[in-house]
Amino acid sequence: MLIKKLYKTRHWLKSNLKEQSYIKEIRAIDHPTLTAVLETFLQVKTSDFDQEDFKVFSTIKKYRNYLETNTSKIDYSVFGIKDRTVNEIYRSASSPEIWSRFHYLLAKNLGVKNYLEIGTNLGISGSYIISALSKQSDFKFLTMEGIEGLSDLAETQFMTLTQPENFEIIRGLYDQTFPELLQKEIVFEVCFIDGNHHYEPTLQYFEKLKEKTAEVAVFIFDDIYWNDEMVKVWEVIKKDKATTFALDLFKMGIIILDQKENRHKSDFNFFLTKI
């Protein structure tokens, strides 16, 4: 915990000292996807949302309120641990609203149609993402979850936001379902990795999914400073030869792949929340 706090303090200091120079450099690079990530960061940081955005946030807030008071139990026996109530899961593992808004606005600004999430949980991030994807005439949101009860909750929520043909929850333990995912005839524009905080599986997801992405694609890795393994794998991923740009937001790391872009820049650092 102390090490993570030191990482956070160092990142906050560096980000604040160099934010304006990072902004200037990214705008000079003038890469559409990189610029979209930057503008998303700035919009969320300054709460620059329109009325339609606030309507989406208000709708999903009702789902958050429902989860916060839900004392139903979720079976975690597949992992050999005791049951947990929905509100316990919500309080300990749900994404803070500022980051959910970031996911929403990034999907909206990128204008993507095919989106993968590894780690459905209660479907909170997925709700924001689906709400953004719904602005496209057709889209596909795939998400993976190993706990059946969580999948059921998320599915019910997603059905209130879009038609069933627009999303799919792949149910089951990732080591069993990930190979099945790779067989699907779909090319992803965004991959959000939040289902495993260990070195080997995280690196495997990146290596395998690189072959399933569009010419220009975005990878989002959650909790890149969660533990030593995540710190290590983030360093490997951002230095990968396929990585075009990498942005470290401390809570998450964002990788941009562009098969036609020769430039490589991996040390953009930003800090969205207060330390």
Side-chain angles (χ1 to χ4, degrees):
M1 183 64 70
L2 178 59
I3 296 296
K4 186 176 180 180
K5 189 170 183 179
L6 289 173
Y7 275 133
K8 190 173 186 179
T9 301
R10 184 180 66 181
H11 186 90
W12 177 81
L13 287 169
K14 182 179 180 181
S15 302
N16 278 273
L17 286 171
K18 299 192 67 176
E19 182 177 287
Q20 292 306 311
S21 64
Y22 290 142
I23 292 172
K24 184 177 180 180
E25 184 176 357
I26 288 173
R27 287 180 171 157
I29 290 172
D30 195 28
H31 185 279
T33 302
L34 180 61
T35 299
V37 176
L38 172 64
E39 294 307 323
T40 297
F41 166 80
L42 294 174
Q43 284 181 262
V44 176
K45 187 174 183 179
T46 60
S47 297
D48 182 16
F49 306 110
D50 60 31
Q51 289 303 311
E52 185 180 13
D53 299 335
F54 282 117
K55 184 177 179 180
V56 168
F57 302 156
S58 178
T59 297
I60 301 175
K61 182 65 174 177
K62 294 174 184 176
Y63 181 53
R64 285 181 173 273
N65 292 339
Y66 163 73
L67 296 172
E68 196 166 21
T69 58
N70 189 333
T71 57
S72 301
K73 289 189 175 182
I74 301 294
D75 181 2
Y76 272 78
S77 60
V78 67
F79 291 127
I81 59 178
K82 67 178 182 178
D83 296 351
R84 302 181 66 195
T85 62
V86 171
N87 59 354
E88 286 174 341
I89 300 166
Y90 174 77
R91 291 166 189 166
S92 64
S94 63
S95 181
E97 189 162 6
I98 191 169
W99 290 107
S100 297
R101 292 182 176 193
F102 182 89
H103 282 293
Y104 162 81
L105 202 61
L106 182 60
K108 177 183 174 182
N109 288 343
L110 290 172
V112 296
K113 293 186 176 183
N114 295 328
Y115 199 116
L116 171 67
E117 174 190 54
I118 299 181
T120 315
N121 203 293
L122 294 164
I124 296 174
S125 293
S127 294
Y128 288 87
I129 293 163
I130 286 174
S131 297
L133 297 178
S134 297
K135 301 180 188 306
Q136 305 297 322
S137 58
D138 60 306
F139 70 91
K140 190 70 174 183
F141 176 69
L142 272 71
T143 182
M144 300 174 65
E145 178 52 56
I147 301 295
E148 194 70 17
L150 296 177
S151 298
D152 290 341
L153 275 170
E155 182 175 50
T156 300
Q157 165 65 3
F158 294 165
M159 289 287 285
T160 70
L161 301 173
T162 190
Q163 298 301 310
E165 61 267 21
N166 290 328
F167 73 89
E168 179 183 353
I169 300 176
I170 302 172
R171 299 170 181 242
L173 298 178
Y174 301 153
D175 59 351
Q176 299 168 8
T177 58
F178 187 65
E180 297 174 17
L181 168 71
L182 297 177
Q183 299 303 312
K184 290 184 177 292
E185 296 294 327
I186 185 169
V187 175
F188 297 108
E189 294 157 285
V190 180
C191 298
F192 173 34
I193 314 299
D194 185 28
N196 195 311
H197 294 113
H198 295 287
Y199 181 93
E200 289 297 341
T202 301
L203 186 59
Q204 181 188 38
Y205 297 150
F206 179 62
E207 293 292 345
K208 297 292 185 182
L209 288 170
K210 281 191 298 186
E211 308 304 319
K212 295 284 292 181
T213 54
E215 184 174 88
V216 179
V218 175
F219 278 79
I220 305 168
F221 295 90
D222 203 40
D223 296 322
I224 56 174
Y225 291 94
W226 183 264
N227 54 29
D228 289 343
E229 290 187 64
M230 289 302 295
V231 171
K232 182 180 177 182
V233 77
W234 170 244
E235 288 298 316
V236 171
I237 289 170
K238 73 180 186 179
K239 294 175 183 176
D240 187 89
K241 63 181 181 180
T243 296
T244 307
F245 303 112
L247 299 95
D248 185 334
L249 277 64
F250 191 80
K251 172 70 168 66
M252 63 178 66
I254 299 176
I255 296 293
I256 297 171
L257 309 183
D258 186 338
Q259 296 174 22
K260 291 186 176 181
E261 176 62 68
N262 294 322
R263 288 172 293 185
H264 177 93
K265 182 74 174 180
S266 63
D267 62 351
F268 293 118
N269 292 273
F270 292 98
F271 205 89
L272 185 58
T273 58
K274 295 179 181 179
I275 191 165

